[in-house]
Amino acid sequence: MKYLLKSQWLLLLLFICLSSCTTSNKPDAASEVARWEQQAARITIMRDDFGVPHIYGKTDADAVFGLLYAQCEDDFNRVERNYLWATGRLAEVEGEEQLYSDLRAKLYMTEEEAKAEYERSPEWLKVLCQAFADGINYYLHTHPEVKPKLLTRFEPWMPMYFSEGSIGGDIESVSTKGIKAFYEEDKSLGLNSAGHGLVQPALLEEPKGSNGFAISGKHTASGDAMLLINPHTSFFFRGEVHAVSEEGLNAYGAVTWGQFFIYQGFNEKTGWMHTSAYADVIDEFEETIVKQDGKLFYRYGEELRPVQTKEVTLAYKEGDALKEKTFTTYHTHHGPITHKNGDKWVATALMWKPVEALTQSYTRTKKTNLKEFNEMMEMRTNSSNATVYADADGNIAYYHGNFFPKRDTAFDYSKPVDGSNPKTDWNGLHTLDETIRIINPPNGWIQNCNSTPFTAAAEYSPKKEDYPVYMAPSPENFRGVHAIRLLEKAENLTLDKLIDLAYDPYLPGFEVLIPGLVKAYDNQKPNDPKLKAAIEVMRTWDYAVSKESVAMSLAHFYATNLLRDGSAPKGHVMERFDYYANKAPETERLEIFSKTIAELEKDFGKWNTPWGEINRFQRLTGDIKQPFNDAAPSIPVGMASGNWGALASYGANRYDTKRLYGTSGNSFVAVVQFGDKVKAKTILAGGQSGDPKSPHFNDQAQRYADVQFKDVAYYREDVERRAKARYTPGQRVSE
């Protein structure tokens, strides 16, 4: 009996010890809230007359805490969804259709790997990551009415998923269809029209890219350098923010929901604009798989290496239930197996250095001159972007990409290469001075519109023959042609003149396409009065978009129908436009134009409908996937697709509607002038808030359509003067 009592006592002690150990690993709720409140007290958020949050903190960590808190106030829904997507948990909310997006995320980084990346981070970065999590968690704590779809708590390792800048970035080039075919059915989808297995944008898809102009003082009225920041993204993809600390942070610009660094923007001394370089930085390696004794190997030179395998279990929503599916995933030293070409497994290699990339993304916002900026770029982890730069010292610069693996140019890396041949392996990285850069060209301007860097600075552009082909495979596009023409004539620029330049209505694509249509009519002389009237409209058009233009309506649908239904051989838009203008059968041109006239009559009652009656801006809800309704209020927009050469891109489509509604293109746009003091103007599609009840949900919509930019409040005295709300995180605020 005594023995039993002693045994029970020992078991009790063991239970107490284990309970104590378990409890000590969990944050104490009361102490955590007290810590949040203590940090929040050091932060001031001021909302200006457009709802832009200006966050002031003692430390960078305070500014990050306040920045994430403010982002959640504006659109927690988008913050949460970005992390559901990145961490591979989207199917738990949106169902089985997102299962292979989740698997793609897990192929490149599991939660355990993200935690390991966080643990190896320098201490200062850990502090910022913790502040990121604390800012969101404090928002949820102080807003119990907000019900997350899944993520009720954010963790400091989560920013490792959003380290390089763009939400999505390189990983979105990996096809979820290919992943599903391989991991679900062991099938090959074969190569796409570009000869590889990566995601290929549809021909008519609005270009996902950006415009960036850097202009030296020789072309500005003030003598100071200027910068155009003009990303072309999905609308409401980024908010406008200003983060300031007493540790040297004072950055203003656009932040993708959930990021703790300003992605495209400026501080008092430097400005940075990211465009999509479309450089070849993602490679596919075809692996020769050998099975021996029930184990998988892949051939590499003369050896067989074991295929690394890992079990990944994913949850997905089905009705009201949560189900699970387990996959065995495969990796070689090239990367994860993502799809199959014939009988070859394919590993897709891309940059994955979360700590280094996050370090580069954050420290970029605090650089004060070109030398410091170059030192930051030496980290070489900004893989999906080109960077256009200007500063207060008058420097302008351009970096076409940043991350370039060294590759044997005997192989064509635009197609899958033989992974069994060691010569195809990446062999370190090109140094910064080996990459394509432009620093202070004598012409005094630099442009990139997702086109070739070999025209970025006119005759002072880099020379194609000096670089490996994989550094700049992209051809010229109509936006690049447009930008060069304008910048060659630009003088005495002010911020307002730079805005006018960035929104120039001319469409060089139609300068190519439409004369071929008119010529076809003149040669064929069809007896059709309606066709004749429409051709006369096109004959006298100046190729400029406007809300009042009938020619724009005809040209948009004519070009769309040609690209969808015409006979042009494969090629990019510029090549196809040249074909339709000069080589396509004249009867085909006239038949498709006649079809366009009939389409406009059917949908709008008359073929001569002004563009503004068709092309609209509408924001009805805060949903990530916006609904559109022809019967609801909308705003006419005199902008056009970047495919046609519009610098101010406006990607509009039908959504079970007759009218076209914009969903991408010019979203956040800024013009910046450097000097003794920085000056800037900005516009944001719709408004700062994702809440339809907010006064800032749609308060910039008409200004957006009218190209009426707002002045930026950058200096504290200007922010104070325009502040409509002032509070610390945790306080309830109404405007």
Side-chain angles (χ1 to χ4, degrees):
M1 186 70 174
K2 287 181 180 180
Y3 175 80
L4 287 174
L5 287 172
K6 184 177 180 181
S7 174
Q8 290 171 338
W9 175 244
L10 289 172
L11 285 171
L12 180 60
L13 283 175
L14 179 61
F15 174 80
I16 293 171
C17 180
L18 289 172
S19 298
S20 175
C21 292
T22 303
T23 304
S24 66
N25 288 331
K26 295 180 180 178
D28 176 75
S31 64
E32 187 171 52
V33 171
R35 179 170 58 80
W36 292 339
E37 291 174 341
Q38 186 178 33
Q39 186 162 22
R42 300 194 299 268
I43 301 163
T44 298
I45 300 175
M46 285 189 271
R47 297 270 183 177
D48 66 23
D49 41 344
F50 289 94
V52 176
H54 303 259
I55 298 99
Y56 294 87
K58 294 286 185 184
T59 65
D60 282 9
D62 294 340
V64 166
F65 182 107
L67 177 60
L68 269 298
Y69 183 93
Q71 286 185 50
C72 291
E73 288 183 301
D74 287 334
D75 210 328
F76 174 77
N77 185 33
R78 290 177 185 272
V79 172
E80 183 185 22
R81 193 186 190 278
N82 281 344
Y83 282 92
L84 289 171
W85 176 86
T87 59
R89 300 189 66 186
L90 200 54
E92 295 177 54
V93 172
E94 298 185 7
E96 191 173 7
E97 66 181 28
Q98 298 292 353
L99 198 59
Y100 295 93
S101 172
D102 290 351
L103 181 57
R104 177 178 63 183
K106 300 294 188 184
L107 284 172
Y108 283 95
M109 188 160 69
T110 63
E111 182 176 314
E112 293 72 26
E113 290 165 337
K115 290 174 179 176
E117 290 292 312
Y118 168 74
E119 290 299 333
R120 79 174 183 88
S121 299
E123 194 58 35
W124 68 267
L125 187 55
K126 285 185 180 179
V127 170
L128 296 187
C129 290
Q130 186 63 58
F132 149 89
D134 288 344
I136 302 176
N137 292 331
Y138 188 50
Y139 168 81
L140 292 174
H141 171 73
T142 55
H143 293 76
E145 74 282 4
V146 174
K147 305 299 181 187
K149 292 181 173 64
L150 181 66
L151 300 178
T152 57
R153 182 178 178 84
F154 284 71
E155 301 293 345
W157 45 264
M158 289 181 174
M160 295 298 143
Y161 287 95
F162 285 162
S163 57
E164 192 257 326
S166 301
I167 298 295
D170 295 334
I171 196 173
E172 286 193 312
S173 294
V174 179
S175 170
T176 55
K177 291 181 180 178
I179 290 173
K180 180 178 181 180
F182 176 74
Y183 282 100
E184 184 77 28
E185 300 174 319
D186 191 27
K187 283 186 177 179
S188 166
L189 296 183
L191 302 176
N192 59 31
S193 60
H196 55 67
L198 301 175
V199 173
Q200 186 75 5
L203 183 65
L204 282 166
E205 185 177 327
E206 186 63 20
K208 289 183 173 66
S210 307
N211 302 332
F213 299 167
I215 302 161
S216 76
K218 69 188 293 184
H219 298 298
T220 67
S222 66
D224 299 318
M226 300 176 72
L227 182 67
L228 168 70
I229 298 172
N230 184 192
H232 296 163
T233 66
S234 301
F235 290 167
F236 326 124
F237 185 67
R238 296 193 176 111
E240 186 172 345
V241 299
H242 184 199
V244 186
S245 82
E246 295 177 14
E247 294 182 334
L249 177 67
N250 193 347
Y252 192 107
V255 60
T256 309
W257 301 108
Q259 289 176 336
F260 68 73
F261 54 87
I262 281 68
Y263 177 58
Q264 291 159 319
F266 60 93
N267 58 41
E268 189 174 29
K269 298 298 183 182
T270 67
W272 56 96
M273 167 59 204
H274 297 308
T275 63
S276 297
Y278 294 118
D280 182 3
V281 295
I282 305 173
D283 286 328
E284 299 170 282
F285 293 88
E286 292 185 335
E287 310 288 20
T288 301
I289 303 300
V290 177
K291 193 170 186 179
Q292 288 185 355
D293 300 325
K295 295 181 179 179
L296 292 173
F297 298 85
Y298 67 102
R299 193 170 299 284
Y300 185 68
E302 298 299 318
E303 62 180 304
L304 289 178
R305 293 185 173 185
V307 175
Q308 301 167 37
T309 61
K310 184 185 298 183
E311 297 287 300
V312 172
T313 299
L314 299 174
Y316 63 95
K317 183 179 179 182
E318 188 174 280
D320 294 329
L322 200 62
K323 295 188 174 181
E324 288 187 342
K325 196 164 191 173
T326 298
F327 300 88
T328 300
T329 63
Y330 308 99
H331 289 70
T332 71
H333 74 282
H334 293 122
I337 302 298
T338 58
H339 60 288
K340 194 175 181 182
N341 289 338
D343 61 351
K344 300 284 189 181
W345 291 13
V346 182
T348 303
L350 51 81
M351 191 209 74
W352 204 268
K353 298 181 178 181
V355 174
E356 293 81 1
L358 189 54
T359 298
Q360 182 169 356
S361 294
Y362 185 79
T363 58
R364 178 171 55 233
T365 67
K366 298 178 74 172
K367 300 307 176 185
T368 61
N369 57 51
L370 182 58
K371 180 177 180 293
E372 291 181 0
F373 203 85
N374 273 320
E375 290 169 351
M376 174 273 300
M377 293 295 283
E378 288 279 7
M379 297 185 69
R380 294 170 290 164
T381 55
N382 193 9
S383 66
S384 66
N385 296 314
T387 303
V388 185
Y389 168 93
D391 69 27
D393 296 325
N395 297 301
I396 61 173
Y398 175 69
Y399 306 81
H400 191 77
N402 187 230
F403 167 87
F404 285 105
K406 290 183 179 179
R407 286 163 274 196
D408 186 338
T409 54
F411 301 95
D412 180 4
Y413 286 87
S414 68
K415 310 284 194 296
V417 294
D418 181 5
S420 70
N421 185 347
K423 290 182 179 180
T424 64
D425 269 8
W426 288 357
N427 187 23
L429 296 181
H430 284 281
T431 59
L432 186 64
D433 60 7
E434 292 174 339
T435 63
I436 301 173
R437 293 187 297 167
I438 306 171
I439 308 291
N440 293 325
N443 62 307
W445 55 262
I446 299 168
Q447 65 80 25
N448 181 260
C449 300
N450 313 124
S451 53
T452 173
F454 305 125
T455 59
E459 68 269 29
Y460 301 102
S461 303
K463 301 296 182 263
K464 186 175 185 178
E465 58 270 19
D466 293 339
Y467 301 93
V469 66
Y470 53 73
M471 280 193 180
S474 293
E476 187 63 278
N477 62 32
F478 284 126
R479 282 185 291 130
V481 169
H482 193 179
I484 292 165
R485 288 182 185 176
L486 294 170
L487 288 166
E488 284 178 335
K489 298 181 292 185
E491 297 294 341
N492 297 312
L493 288 175
T494 62
L495 289 179
D496 288 333
K497 287 182 179 179
L498 182 54
I499 292 169
D500 290 342
L501 188 151
Y503 282 76
D504 183 82
Y506 193 76
L507 302 174
F510 292 129
E511 174 191 279
V512 173
L513 184 67
I514 298 306
L517 170 65
V518 174
K519 181 181 178 182
Y521 177 83
D522 290 343
N523 289 341
Q524 298 294 318
K525 296 182 174 59
N527 184 21
D528 183 337
K530 194 180 295 181
L531 179 59
K532 179 181 179 181
I535 287 289
E536 289 309 309
V537 169
M538 306 312 290
R539 190 191 304 275
T540 59
W541 188 32
D542 62 359
Y543 310 124
V545 60
S546 70
K547 288 178 283 190
E548 298 74 27
S549 176
V550 170
M552 181 65 226
S553 302
L554 288 163
H556 174 86
F557 288 106
Y558 174 57
T560 300
N561 288 333
L562 277 174
L563 293 174
R564 182 189 298 122
D565 303 326
S567 62
K570 289 193 300 184
H572 55 76
V573 171
M574 290 187 78
E575 292 172 331
R576 295 193 188 207
F577 269 31
D578 179 71
Y579 172 84
Y580 288 123
N582 300 303
K583 301 173 185 175
E586 291 181 342
T587 53
E588 178 186 34
R589 302 177 214 176
L590 294 173
E591 285 170 5
I592 290 183
F593 190 63
S594 296
K595 173 185 174 182
T596 298
I597 293 171
E599 180 183 341
L600 284 164
E601 285 185 325
K602 176 177 177 291
D603 289 337
F604 302 103
K606 58 182 182 179
W607 64 263
N608 53 346
T609 301
W611 181 237
E613 289 296 309
I614 298 169
N615 196 51
R616 313 288 287 190
F617 180 94
Q618 187 178 76
R619 192 182 194 191
L620 301 176
T621 73
D623 296 348
I624 291 173
K625 188 175 182 180
Q626 295 279 308
F628 296 99
N629 186 341
D630 284 338
S634 62
I635 297 170
V637 175
M639 295 158 60
S641 169
N643 280 318
W644 319 144
L647 291 176
S649 164
Y650 193 76
N653 285 290
R654 289 186 168 115
Y655 297 89
D656 295 321
T657 58
K658 292 183 177 179
R659 285 173 158 172
L660 305 177
Y661 294 97
T663 57
S664 67
N666 275 27
S667 45
F668 167 82
V669 187
V671 289
V672 189
Q673 176 183 308
F674 297 95
D676 293 335
K677 297 187 76 174
V678 67
K679 299 176 183 177
K681 294 189 174 190
T682 63
I683 196 70
L684 191 66
Q688 179 69 21
S689 176
D691 182 359
K693 298 188 294 296
S694 167
H696 304 300
F697 176 71
N698 230 18
D699 60 336
Q700 295 184 60
Q702 190 63 57
R703 297 177 73 101
Y704 175 87
D706 295 341
V707 194
Q708 185 182 352
F709 278 48
K710 60 188 184 294
D711 292 323
V712 164
Y714 179 80
Y715 294 98
R716 182 72 180 247
E717 58 269 24
D718 297 322
V719 177
E720 296 271 7
R721 186 175 65 253
R722 286 175 51 184
K724 298 300 181 183
R726 179 185 181 123
Y727 57 100
T728 61
Q731 293 180 340
R732 296 302 179 97
V733 179
S734 60
E735 295 182 63

